Amino acid sequence: YARYGVEFCGNTTIPDDAKMARFVKEYVSADDQCDLAKGLWSLYQAHVGAAQSMSFSERDQLLLIQGLYVGLEEQTRLQSFINESLPGYMVQWCRFWPTRNVTKCREFLNKIATELIVHLFIGSHRLNTDEDVPSGMHNGSNFSLFLTKLANPEAYALMAAMLNQTTLQLKNTAASDWNILAQRMRFISAVFWVFQDHEDLNCYLFSAEQDLLIRTDQSDKLDPQSWFQICDRDCCAANGRWDGLN
């Protein structure tokens, strides 16, 4: 992503597909088919399309596709580390299990670990991964105005595959065992869908006065208690929030 920014975000002219193809081949994947490559292509399409009168809904669906592919790539790479960290995959935890079937022990311990320690903090929200992703997070609506309907066939198909659903909804998105990749992606994909364009994640972290001090290399004059603000509803209300219009 950092390299993408260097290559594409400082351009004064719209880049072409050939440049993106060279970028992916050099920095990501020679065959252009890995999940990370697919995600970056979706980012590029949203980026370039935004300069060519693409609608907000079309752009946001491409960004959602990007998040799903890159999230899958990341979680796949993390799988072995998660296997080693959750209690059910530490043999010593199961040595006192009453039967020789340690698979049941692992499932039991991973379920307990998922319930007790695997929580996600997003903006002012705490999400328990063993519960369905909450509904009504956008002032009573489940999703932003631009993602209420996934009209992009790839976005719909990819979300359906991640949620393992034919009718897309937030029900049955909870994970009982965070060690299982399919369960993690089911929950994470729903989180991406809900929180993309959410006001808690698209507002200014700093006031106009703070921003001016930072930009003019005077951050030492900031009140130490206000150096970092959690971007919650009050922060958004005070400092302005992105509304999809500019």
Side-chain angles (χ1 to χ4, degrees):
Y1 277 94
R3 190 69 203 180
Y4 178 92
V6 171
E7 296 286 340
F8 293 96
C9 295
N11 293 332
T12 56
T13 58
I14 298 175
D16 57 26
D17 290 359
K19 180 177 180 179
M20 181 61 185
R22 290 193 298 271
F23 170 83
V24 170
K25 185 175 182 179
E26 181 174 358
Y27 294 106
V28 184
S29 171
D31 63 7
D32 204 28
Q33 291 301 307
C34 74
D35 292 326
L36 180 57
K38 293 176 182 178
L40 285 172
W41 267 110
S42 293
L43 173 64
Y44 167 79
Q45 291 165 359
H47 182 190
V48 173
Q52 299 176 332
S53 301
M54 176 180 285
S55 72
F56 286 119
S57 181
E58 291 170 330
R59 179 207 59 189
D60 278 12
Q61 289 179 75
L62 286 170
L63 292 176
L64 181 60
I65 293 170
Q66 172 243 182
L68 295 178
Y69 275 128
V70 175
L72 178 59
E73 175 82 13
E74 175 196 44
Q75 291 300 314
T76 301
R77 294 189 180 206
L78 287 174
Q79 185 64 34
S80 61
F81 298 99
I82 294 175
N83 279 351
E84 294 172 0
S85 63
L86 282 180
Y89 283 81
M90 298 179 184
V91 176
Q92 62 270 26
W93 286 74
C94 293
R95 59 184 174 177
F96 299 114
W97 193 249
T99 70
R100 300 181 66 180
N101 185 357
V102 295
T103 299
K104 292 294 183 182
C105 171
R106 292 171 176 174
E107 291 175 353
F108 173 76
L109 290 177
N110 286 342
K111 183 176 186 296
I112 297 299
T114 300
E115 292 177 358
L116 295 182
I117 66 176
V118 186
H119 304 151
L120 300 184
F121 293 86
I122 303 178
S124 59
H125 303 279
R126 174 176 178 169
L127 305 181
N128 297 325
T129 57
D130 64 316
E131 300 174 0
D132 290 343
V133 175
S135 58
M137 301 286 276
H138 285 266
N139 295 319
S141 299
N142 289 347
F143 313 104
S144 81
L145 175 65
F146 306 124
L147 289 173
T148 300
K149 181 179 180 181
L150 299 184
N152 182 311
E154 185 177 10
Y156 190 98
L158 189 56
M159 184 62 73
M162 296 296 181
L163 300 185
N164 192 25
Q165 298 175 1
T166 54
T167 303
L168 303 185
Q169 56 185 338
L170 296 178
K171 292 182 179 179
N172 302 316
T173 53
S176 60
D177 185 345
W178 198 248
N179 178 74
I180 298 175
L181 176 61
Q183 292 193 26
R184 289 203 309 278
M185 287 309 304
R186 184 174 64 207
F187 187 87
I188 291 169
S189 298
V191 167
F192 284 179
W193 191 8
V194 167
F195 280 95
Q196 186 168 314
D197 287 346
H198 194 280
E199 61 183 19
D200 276 16
L201 305 182
N202 291 288
C203 67
Y204 301 108
L205 284 175
F206 302 101
S207 67
E209 293 77 11
Q210 291 171 322
D211 190 63
L212 178 61
L213 290 174
I214 294 169
R215 289 177 181 274
T216 55
D217 198 24
Q218 301 180 74
S219 57
D220 58 307
K221 296 181 180 179
L222 283 169
D223 177 354
Q225 300 302 317
S226 66
W227 169 246
F228 181 76
Q229 296 182 13
I230 298 298
C231 189
D232 57 18
R233 291 179 184 275
D234 293 333
C235 161
C236 287
N239 298 337
R241 63 172 65 111
W242 185 79
D243 59 7
L245 299 179
N246 52 51

